[in-house]
Amino acid sequence: MPVTTCIFDAYGTLFDVAAAARAAAREPDRARLAACWQALAEDWRIKQLSYSWLRAVSGDHADFWTVTQDALDWALERHGLDGDAALRDRLLALYRELEAYPEVPAMLRALKDRRLTTAILSNGAPGMLADAVASAGIGDVLDDCLSVESVGIFKPARAVYDLVGHRFGTAPDQVLFVSSNGWDAAAATAYGFTALWVNRKGEPLDRLPGRPAHILPDLSGVPALELF
């Protein structure tokens, strides 16, 4: 069956997760952050994902905003910045307004011009997603934002991928699933979606069941895929 529905992961795929630390590091009186912002952003992201997986395995669910704050607290302590409450508040505020990657608005518009359904499927809590979409100005080119909060477990649990069919009435082979997370693209492939891995960093494929059908360095080439 032809692909009718394009589903996007949010954080790291549509939205640049390093943008909050980068923006804060450019502000006045942030010399300590400026010296380590890239490492802090990487640690923040790694812990954010790790905590989501550990909570999924243990059954101890908390929403992604809680996980994001916990991960930031760990990263700030690692870099000796845990005593700076104003910095913590600023980073969290910026995370609610993450920049979209430059190619995102035009890419989504091109898909909508082809009358395809477009949506987000994310670990993000609904409020986080609403803020990011509004800040990026892409709400008019998305049909929905699906959050794992409706099932109470993080990706890559199959119940999360089930949300797409429940919402749009699609069979898995009608869905193109797009993620910058190799593990997410692998899980989506194993689920039955046609998956595209946005490999922005040129990393090796994850050694997991399910290999994505497509790999691109960014999202600009999505509308040109011969799937629609």
Side-chain angles (χ1 to χ4, degrees), residues 157-177:
R158 290 182 65 87
V160 176
Y161 303 113
D162 285 341
L163 291 172
V164 176
H166 293 162
R167 170 62 179 84
F168 296 111
T170 52
D173 61 1
Q174 292 178 283
V175 174
L176 174 68
F177 182 84

Side-chain angles (χ1 to χ4, degrees), residues 178-203:
V178 183
S179 181
S180 65
N181 299 300
W183 56 268
D184 194 13
T189 300
Y191 180 82
F193 292 151
T194 298
L196 187 157
W197 178 32
V198 186
N199 187 8
R200 296 185 185 276
K201 297 180 180 179
E203 295 178 340

Side-chain angles (χ1 to χ4, degrees), residues 91-110:
L91 287 167
L92 290 171
L94 287 166
Y95 204 91
R96 304 288 295 215
E97 303 174 349
L98 288 177
E99 298 173 5
Y101 286 102
E103 73 274 16
V104 167
M107 179 273 300
L108 290 173
R109 174 58 61 194

